[in-house]
Amino acid sequence: GKLYLGTFSEQLDVYGLLPLPVAPGQTFFTTETPVIPNTTAGIAYELGTKFTADIAGQVTGIRYWKAASETGSHRGHIWSSTGVPLATVNFTNETPSGWQQALLSAPLSIAAGTTYVVSVNANSFYAETISGLLKSITNGDLSTIADGHNGVLGAAGIFPIKSLQSSNYFRDVTFVPTGGQSIFTNQTPTLTNQNDHRTYEAGMKFTSDQGGE
C-alpha cells in the first residue's frame, strides 16, 4: 500500500474546519475546494464520482460537499460501473455546509483496478468545479477516473450516467487498503549483509497523519 497523504480533519474549507472523520482511511479529495460552492439548476439530482483503487480494500464511508443553501435529507450510494447498487447510507447530523460524511453500516470490499461510482443526492443546491475531473486526482491508493465522462449526474436516487464538462461535484469515499498501510512499499536495502560483530536493537522514528491501529 501507499502512505496516506493527507487527513481531511485538519484541512480548512471556506466555511471553517472540516468535521472529524467517521473512520480512518484515504480519500481522493484532500485540499480541493469547489470553485462554485453554491449553485442550483432548480431540480433534484444524483451527483457522483467515478473512482478506482490501486489495491484491494474496503470503503468505510461516504463524503460529500454540501452547498450552503441545500436542505433536506441525503443518501449516499456506492455502485458498480454498470449501476449495480453495492452500498447505501443515510446522512445524519449534517452541518449547514461544507463536507458531510456518513459511515457505512458494514465496510464494502472493493477490488483493485476496478471502476466504482460514489454518489449522493442534491435536493436543489450543490457545489461544483467545472472541468474539475478532466484530469485524474490521486491520493494514496485512490484515483478518480479521467475518461472525459466523470462527474456524473442523473435523477435523484438513480444510478447517474450523464456527464457535463467533467465537473467535480465533490462526492468522495473513505477507503482502507487490505492489510493496512506500511511506510515501505518497493524499497530494498542498499547493504544487505552488514556485520560489525556487535548486537544492536535497530529502529526507526515514524509518525501518522491520522489515528488508527
Side-chain angles (χ1 to χ4, degrees):
K2 300 176 185 176
L3 282 175
Y4 178 51
L5 302 179
T7 169
F8 52 82
S9 64
E10 296 176 351
Q11 296 156 7
L12 291 173
D13 62 37
V14 295
Y15 302 107
L17 283 170
L18 290 162
L20 292 175
V22 293
Q26 302 173 14
T27 63
F28 33 83
F29 300 132
T30 54
T31 59
E32 295 82 5
T33 57
V35 173
I36 307 171
N38 195 52
T39 188
T40 184
I43 59 174
Y45 281 121
E46 189 77 16
L47 302 173
T49 308
K50 293 188 280 188
F51 70 96
T52 188
D54 286 344
I55 62 175
Q58 293 183 321
V59 173
T60 57
I62 296 176
R63 311 168 65 218
Y64 85 98
W65 187 292
K66 183 179 180 181
S69 298
E70 173 71 347
T71 58
S73 60
H74 299 93
R75 171 173 277 198
H77 300 264
I78 304 291
W79 316 80
S80 74
S81 61
T82 58
V84 177
L86 303 176
T88 61
V89 64
N90 293 319
F91 285 80
T92 59
N93 301 316
E94 294 191 15
T95 59
S97 59
W99 281 114
Q100 314 296 315
Q101 49 202 344
L103 180 67
L104 297 181
S105 58
L108 172 67
S109 294
I110 62 173
T114 302
T115 297
Y116 298 91
V117 177
V118 55
S119 69
V120 181
N121 66 295
N123 296 306
S124 184
F125 288 84
Y126 55 93
E128 178 182 17
T129 294
I130 296 171
S131 300
L133 296 179
L134 194 60
K135 296 180 179 179
S136 180
I137 297 173
T138 298
N139 181 48
D141 300 296
L142 289 177
S143 297
T144 62
I145 302 296
D147 60 358
H149 301 284
N150 204 351
V152 287
L153 69 159
I158 305 299
F159 178 58
I161 58 173
K162 297 180 180 179
S163 180
L164 183 64
Q165 297 179 301
S166 298
S167 288
N168 183 358
Y169 302 113
F170 291 85
R171 269 54 181 167
D172 200 351
V173 299
T174 53
F175 171 77
V176 177
T178 297
Q181 299 167 284
S182 67
I183 296 169
F184 302 120
T185 54
N186 59 356
Q187 296 86 354
T188 58
T190 302
L191 303 174
T192 60
N193 196 33
Q194 287 293 94
N195 186 358
D196 62 1
H197 305 288
R198 295 183 181 181
T199 301
Y200 290 107
E201 183 77 20
M204 180 188 70
K205 296 178 181 179
F206 69 95
T207 187
S208 174
D209 285 338
Q210 202 170 47
E213 296 181 352

